[in-house]
Amino acid sequence: MSVLAPPFTLQTATQKVRLAEDGWNSRDPERVSLAYTPDSRWRNRAEFVTGRAEIVAFLTRKWARELDYRLIKEIWAFTDDRIAVRFAYEWHDDSGHWYRSYGNENWEFDAQGLMQRRYACINDLPIKESERKYHWPLGRRPDDHPGLTELGL
């Protein structure tokens, strides 16, 4: 994975968002953790995470609970070393109940392009399976699949 480092332009910030989406859609905690500094600090909902080992543990728990996870991220704003995104992902629990989780993230990067801070606010909306909008095979979202804006999300 190539690292895009600050200062960001619209093009590089947009690429950074897509790389993050692709990583998370891999559902590989070890791979995802490498995009963060060794001492990265997160707030995810009401949980606080520090460092790659805690990131791996957090994501392992997350994807054991959030099954068939598919995510779309979209850039909202950026500055030299910060990016704000909005996102939505779909998943189901082990009882087969589907959800669409909506949220916003604020990211701050170090000079090498690794994320050193991530603050996420997320809300879960129960949906019927028939209301799902994400139907691509598990893994990377295809380039021709609509994004959040195109889906009306």
Side-chain angles (χ1 to χ4, degrees):
M1 173 174 15
S2 70
V3 176
L4 299 165
F8 295 114
T9 64
L10 177 58
Q11 179 183 3
T12 60
T14 301
Q15 289 173 327
K16 195 75 161 174
V17 171
R18 182 59 193 242
L19 286 172
E21 175 187 312
D22 292 349
W24 282 64
N25 276 328
S26 76
R27 297 182 332 269
D28 179 341
E30 292 287 341
R31 174 185 167 194
V32 172
S33 74
L34 297 177
Y36 300 89
T37 61
D39 61 348
S40 185
R41 293 185 1 219
W42 288 16
R43 182 186 46 74
N44 194 89
R45 301 178 193 248
E47 190 167 350
F48 294 83
V49 175
T50 302
R52 286 184 179 158
E54 288 185 21
I55 290 169
V56 169
F58 171 86
L59 293 173
T60 300
R61 286 190 315 274
K62 172 185 180 63
W63 291 321
R65 183 179 66 251
E66 296 178 354
L67 306 174
D68 290 323
Y69 174 97
R70 290 172 178 86
L71 165 73
I72 299 176
K73 291 183 181 282
E74 185 174 280
I75 190 167
W76 188 254
F78 72 96
T79 64
D80 289 344
D81 65 347
R82 294 179 180 185
I83 299 174
V85 300
R86 64 187 199 95
F87 63 87
Y89 61 91
E90 293 181 349
W91 58 282
H92 67 85
D93 63 20
D94 59 2
S95 298
H97 297 107
W98 281 92
Y99 300 86
R100 187 173 304 117
S101 299
Y102 295 94
N104 299 293
E105 293 176 329
N106 295 311
W107 302 340
E108 182 181 68
F109 296 87
D110 70 5
Q112 289 72 47
L114 296 175
M115 196 181 302
Q116 57 192 8
R117 288 189 182 81
R118 174 184 171 269
Y119 303 106
C121 298
I122 307 166
N123 299 296
D124 301 318
L125 174 69
I127 60 173
K128 297 175 187 168
E129 187 170 2
S130 62
E131 297 173 314
R132 292 180 52 219
K133 296 181 181 280
Y134 303 175
H135 298 282
W136 67 85
L138 289 176
R140 186 179 191 277
R141 176 173 55 104
D143 290 335
D144 63 349
H145 190 283
L148 296 177
T149 298
E150 294 82 9
L151 290 169
L153 300 174

